[in-house]
Amino acid sequence: MTGLCGLTGCANTAALKCHWCSLPLCAEHAVAFETKDGQTVCCRGCAAYLRAKSCDGEKKETGGGHAD
């Protein structure tokens, strides 16, 4: 994968992509997210969504946005 980070457009080369939305990500802006199938890489937005939608029944914080 080549090009700039799709999250911020920073000068870092996008070497990863979001497992959920396929956004190209650099290592600095990728978020590791643990699922029942193992660890995946997501962008911040998808990681917040997946945390909030977790199936364990606990209320999760999404990162300090307006809805928290």
Side-chain angles (χ1 to χ4, degrees):
M1 184 172 271
T2 60
L4 299 178
C5 178
L7 186 63
T8 64
C10 68
N12 298 333
T13 302
L16 306 165
K17 71 176 183 176
C18 177
H19 179 74
W20 191 258
C21 71
S22 299
L23 185 70
L25 300 166
C26 68
E28 182 180 345
H29 293 112
V31 176
F33 186 78
E34 190 70 35
T35 65
K36 63 181 177 186
D37 298 326
Q39 192 169 14
T40 62
V41 174
C42 296
C43 65
R44 286 185 251 173
C46 290
Y49 172 78
L50 293 170
R51 275 189 216 107
K53 290 294 204 179
S54 71
C55 297
D56 63 5
E58 289 183 38
K59 183 177 177 185
K60 301 287 184 177
E61 291 188 23
T62 59
H66 295 293
D68 279 348

